[in-house]
Every structure is written in C-alpha cells, then in structure tokens.
Amino acid sequence: MSVHKEFKRITTHALQAMKARGERISMLTAYDYSMAKILDAGGVDVLLVGDSASNVMAGHETTLPITLDQMIYHASSVVRAVERALVVVDLPFGNYQGSSRKALASTVRIMKESGAHAVKMEGGKEIQESIERVLSAGVPVMGHLGLTPQSIYKFGTYTVRAKGEVEAERLIKDAKLLQKIGCFAIVLEKIPAELGKQVSEMLDIPTIGIGGGQHTDGQVLVTHDMLGITKDFHPRFLRRYANLFDTIKEAVEQYSTDVKNRDFPSKKEQY
Ligand code: KIV
C-alpha cells in the first residue's frame, strides 16, 4: 500500500500545509523503539508518545500515575527510531496544571533529554498560562479538548463529551483560544461528529480526532488498540487493523511446544 510521503521530515508547518490542501493527517501512539521504527516506516505523519503508556505499557487503570521520567524514557526510545514522523510527547498529569513554571521546566527536560519535537497538554482556558509559557520558550504545543483522560475523576466516566450546548460552546471557545495563543494542532477526543466538523472548519490549525468523527483534519488511535494487542476495549470509534494478540499468542504457543518437544533448536540452529 502506498502512503503519501512528500515531506522527508514532518514538521508542524508540514501539518499546517496538509490541512490547507485538504490532505488528512495520520497519527498513532508510540512508546518504544522497535514499534516506532515500524510505524515510521509505515508512513504515519505524527507519533504521539501518549500518557496512554500508563495504560497499555504499564497496566494502570488511568493515565494519572505515569511520571515525567517514565515519559522521557518512552520518548527518547521513540525519537531514536524515527526518521520522518513528528514526535509529540504528552506532558504527564501534575506537570502543568496549576504551575506554568513547572510546565516549562518539565517541557525543557522532555525536549533536552528525549529530543522530541513538541509537547501536548490537555485542557483549554484553565491551562492557558502553562501553554503560553511553553510556547514562549519556542516549543510547539498541541492542545487536547473533549474527553481529557487526565481529568477522568472529574468527569466520572469515559462517555462522549460536549453533547450538550453549554459544554459544546465551551469547547468551541477553548479551541479558538488555543489557536489564538499559538497551538499548532488540537486533538479532539470523543465528541459528536457534528461538533468535530464545526471546530475543524472554524480553525486554521489542524484538528486530530479520536472519536471526533469523519471531518477532523486527521485521526489518531492508540497503536495497541488498532493492532489488536489490547483485547477488552471496544469503543465505537476504534477500528482494528490486525489481531496481534492472537497472532503473538499462537507464535508463543508454537515456540513453547517446540521447546518442550525438543524440536527447537534444531541441528541447524546451533553452533
Ligand atoms: O495518551 C494518548 O494516547 C492520547 C491519545 C488518545 C490522543 O492522548
């Protein structure tokens, strides 16, 4: 399958150009070197070192426990693998809410220690100061509105956000604000498709949807979900492109059987 590869290296400006000419942006999460190498070779435009690593890599129920040091470890592994994709790193919970100084200090550590290209923060007006301080240091910021998993205990559930008029109006206001202060893109998570369309048409910067409908300028999925490595997560927005859980399990079963039957290693597989 061929993918569009006009850009040798994806920059925030390349994403802007893609939106301007109506080319959709593909984004996936990545947390380690080997997978990032495959995803980059597959031509995905943006790799997000998401704090969803807390769920899929570490097995936590929420994204809250992951630390800055752990995010830097994941991010530096991804950066070492990538030749083309833009690498964006989530600022973990507690590193920007309430302190713009901490937001900048954490961002500086991410940029220096991992070599990533941009950071992402969840929220609108309430984190404006943190976003502005990071931007003023010359670091590109991706916004994230709608379902923001770091606030899960405030929401109480992972259901669709901004279905009502008041919340939708607030999201629209926040999206305009994020564009105005200089974010280069915004993730829209789990919102009605009509709202995703309205926000995407209203903004000049790209929107990247996850459960945000067909009209956002790009799409993002958690790689472990779209490859079927995770099994017990079935939101409507998720399309599975492989069933790697079963593929890997079958390979492991075969290996185990071969070892027990003294079939592996064979004479040809030894020195
Ligand atoms: O952490 C993550 O994987 C994310 C995506 C779901 C957008 O923020």
Side-chain angles (χ1 to χ4, degrees), residues 175-267:
K176 283 183 182 159
L177 176 75
L178 293 185
Q179 170 167 281
K180 186 166 150 235
I181 64 178
C183 287
F184 71 91
I186 303 176
V187 167
L188 296 175
E189 181 162 352
K190 234 173 165 185
I191 61 168
E194 252 324 295
L195 183 58
K197 181 170 190 268
Q198 191 183 344
V199 173
S200 305
E201 286 175 356
M202 178 186 86
L203 298 180
D204 297 321
I205 59 171
T207 57
I208 316 278
I210 172 162
Q214 300 178 329
H215 299 283
T216 53
D217 303 300
Q219 297 292 330
V220 56
L221 287 173
V222 169
T223 296
H224 288 59
D225 296 334
M226 64 81 83
L227 291 179
I229 297 172
T230 53
K231 256 199 157 329
D232 42 10
F233 182 56
H234 306 282
R236 190 194 297 186
F237 66 76
L238 175 60
R239 185 181 294 181
R240 287 195 200 280
Y241 286 83
N243 181 1
L244 289 196
F245 185 100
D246 288 340
T247 305
I248 295 171
K249 182 167 152 269
E250 280 160 27
V252 170
E253 283 168 352
Q254 187 60 58
Y255 165 76
S256 205
T257 303
D258 290 352
V259 170
K260 287 183 190 302
N261 291 343
R262 298 164 192 255
D263 188 42
F264 175 80
S266 67
K267 277 200 173 130

Side-chain angles (χ1 to χ4, degrees), residues 81-100:
V82 164
E83 287 176 17
R84 177 179 175 272
L86 182 83
V87 180
V88 182
V89 182
D90 264 334
L91 271 185
F93 175 67
N95 280 266
Y96 59 97
Q97 297 95 339
S99 167
S100 62

Side-chain angles (χ1 to χ4, degrees), residues 19-231:
K19 166 150 184 159
R21 64 170 182 242
E23 179 185 338
R24 292 291 197 240
I25 297 161
S26 61
M27 172 159 129
L28 284 171
T29 61
Y31 320 105
D32 70 279
Y33 175 85
S34 301
M35 184 68 86
K37 250 201 163 349
I38 301 171
L39 303 177
D40 194 50
V44 71
D45 298 313
V46 185
L47 287 182
L48 172 67
V49 183
D51 57 1
S52 50
S54 179
N55 310 114
V56 296
M57 300 301 283
H60 292 296
E61 207 173 299
T62 72
T63 58
L64 276 67
I66 200 158
T67 65
L68 181 61
D69 282 336
Q70 288 165 343
M71 288 303 292
I72 290 171
Y73 169 77
H74 287 299
S76 55
S77 308
V78 169
V79 167
R80 281 192 288 274
V82 164
E83 287 176 17
R84 177 179 175 272
L86 182 83
V87 180
V88 182
V89 182
D90 264 334
L91 271 185
F93 175 67
N95 280 266
Y96 59 97
Q97 297 95 339
S99 167
S100 62
R101 279 178 193 279
K102 191 163 182 185
L104 180 57
S106 303
T107 299
V108 166
R109 279 202 59 203
I110 288 174
M111 302 300 284
K112 272 184 181 287
E113 295 176 38
S114 78
H117 312 129
V119 297
K120 175 163 86 58
M121 293 185 233
E122 296 181 4
K125 176 129 192 64
E126 71 281 10
I127 57 158
Q128 177 175 354
E129 205 182 306
S130 289
I131 295 176
E132 283 178 329
R133 195 178 276 252
V134 168
L135 286 167
S136 73
V139 178
V141 176
M142 178 179 271
H144 185 153
L145 298 172
L147 176 64
T148 46
Q150 291 182 11
S151 309
I152 186 57
Y153 290 118
K154 187 174 100 185
F155 296 144
T157 72
Y158 287 98
T159 51
V160 180
R161 306 303 310 171
K163 277 167 105 174
E165 213 174 300
V166 175
E167 206 189 330
E169 279 308 318
R170 194 176 328 125
L171 188 143
I172 289 168
K173 243 174 136 177
D174 277 338
K176 283 183 182 159
L177 176 75
L178 293 185
Q179 170 167 281
K180 186 166 150 235
I181 64 178
C183 287
F184 71 91
I186 303 176
V187 167
L188 296 175
E189 181 162 352
K190 234 173 165 185
I191 61 168
E194 252 324 295
L195 183 58
K197 181 170 190 268
Q198 191 183 344
V199 173
S200 305
E201 286 175 356
M202 178 186 86
L203 298 180
D204 297 321
I205 59 171
T207 57
I208 316 278
I210 172 162
Q214 300 178 329
H215 299 283
T216 53
D217 303 300
Q219 297 292 330
V220 56
L221 287 173
V222 169
T223 296
H224 288 59
D225 296 334
M226 64 81 83
L227 291 179
I229 297 172
T230 53
K231 256 199 157 329

